[in-house]
Amino acid sequence: MKKIVILTGAGISAESGIQTFRDSGGLWEGHDVMQVASPEGWRADPELVLNFYNLRRKDAAKAQPNAAHLALVELEAHYETLIVTQNVDDLHERAGSAKVLHLHGLLRNARSSANPQLIYDMEDREINIGDTCDLGSQLRPDVVWFGEPVPMIEAAVAEAAKADIFVVIGTSLVVYPAASLIHYVARHAPKFVIDPNRPEVGPIQNLEIIEEKATTGVRKLVDQLIAEADA
Ligand code: APR
């Protein structure tokens, strides 16, 4: 089976009703990133940070996977399929994707401030000041903040380097290291970008840009890739 690696961003969850970050009306329009999504913000006002993620956790739990998430699952019968997502919602998992690599963590999980190996599944529950891990330290959202390392990036680079096909869906490709993944894909491998607003990707070989929203663009591409796999 050929290997397909799919990098997703907030745009694939937009049609599930989850705000993107940099579109007009996006999450970063209403919030100071450094106040709610950085270690400095956490030290300055942990309650503000916890409330920001509590709201996002509730929104994500209420959202449903959309046709784009579901179409990607169909690829698994024809390709070795890996989703590498920047998203912290679990819509890919809930759509049925078997292999999902979260570069920026998972909203539904809480993490010990003392030991990052201590993870707790909160589902849609809040994390509040005074909620502690088994070691007695304050629980924090298990997401990657600006300025923090991205532990899964090495694994994602290794997978991208082995991809026979690489697909990018719904990301502005402005946040690194996630945005660098496309540059690790073999030059000869077909690459596709699905986004209604053509993102800047630079000179990439064998790249096709599909200027459509995820639910229609992914449907078309999945049908095309399944037909090719079975040819
Ligand atoms: N279908 C497909 N793409 C869409 C749709 C849609 N319906 N609606 C918007 N988009 C596209 C936008 O055109 C944009 O290119 O989704 C992209 C969203 O970009 P961002 O808001 O920057 O989100 P993302 O690229 O995922 O951000 C990366 O930045 O703030 C950090 O950690 C956060 O993971 C996030 C990272």
Side-chain angles (χ1 to χ4, degrees):
M1 261 184 178
K2 284 191 174 179
K3 179 182 182 67
I4 187 165
V5 175
I6 300 144
L7 172 66
T8 64
I12 197 169
S13 298
E15 290 161 272
S16 294
I18 294 181
Q19 269 183 302
T20 62
F21 295 96
R22 296 172 183 83
D23 288 313
S24 58
L27 213 50
W28 295 149
E29 244 175 43
H31 296 87
D32 172 348
V33 177
M34 293 315 284
Q35 271 191 324
V36 293
S38 77
E40 296 76 14
W42 173 247
R43 278 192 291 278
D45 187 347
E47 194 161 13
L48 176 74
V49 174
L50 290 175
N51 290 340
F52 173 69
Y53 284 95
N54 286 340
L55 283 174
R56 290 182 64 196
R57 186 173 306 104
K58 278 191 174 39
D59 287 348
K62 281 199 299 263
Q64 294 302 319
N66 63 51
H69 296 103
L70 295 166
L72 293 179
V73 182
E74 295 171 34
L75 290 171
E76 295 182 2
H78 307 268
Y79 293 89
E80 182 201 333
T81 306
L82 171 70
I83 309 270
V84 176
T85 188
Q86 300 170 87
N87 298 341
V88 290
D89 63 55
D90 59 350
L91 294 180
H92 283 301
E93 289 88 342
R94 286 164 52 200
S97 285
K99 284 179 74 181
V100 183
L101 188 159
H102 282 271
L103 287 175
H104 296 163
L106 204 51
L107 258 186
R108 60 180 291 162
N109 287 344
R111 186 169 93 212
S112 158
S113 302
N115 173 355
Q117 305 304 321
L118 283 180
I119 306 277
Y120 304 83
D121 184 348
M122 303 300 287
E123 293 171 11
D124 65 347
R125 297 192 304 275
E126 294 191 345
I127 305 172
N128 294 305
I129 295 293
D131 292 345
T132 57
C133 73
D134 295 335
L135 304 174
S137 85
Q138 173 65 47
L139 288 178
R140 57 163 278 183
D142 186 27
V143 301
V144 176
W145 285 329
F146 285 95
E148 291 191 314
V150 179
M152 297 304 288
I153 192 63
E154 284 80 14
V157 163
E159 296 289 348
K162 292 184 289 187
D164 297 303
I165 299 171
F166 191 73
V167 184
V168 178
I169 307 168
T171 173
S172 56
L173 288 171
V174 296
V175 172
Y176 286 79
S180 67
L181 282 177
I182 194 167
H183 300 294
Y184 289 91
V185 180
R187 279 217 293 272
H188 65 271
K191 304 164 193 74
F192 303 89
V193 170
I194 300 173
D195 193 315
N197 313 302
R198 197 184 181 85
E200 274 309 306
V201 279
I204 303 266
Q205 295 212 340
N206 288 311
L207 173 67
E208 180 184 340
I209 297 192
I210 302 167
E211 290 191 53
E212 292 206 37
K213 60 183 185 173
T215 49
T216 53
V218 173
R219 179 70 270 159
K220 284 181 193 166
L221 181 61
V222 165
D223 290 344
Q224 174 191 322
L225 292 174
I226 289 175
E228 286 171 7
D230 296 350

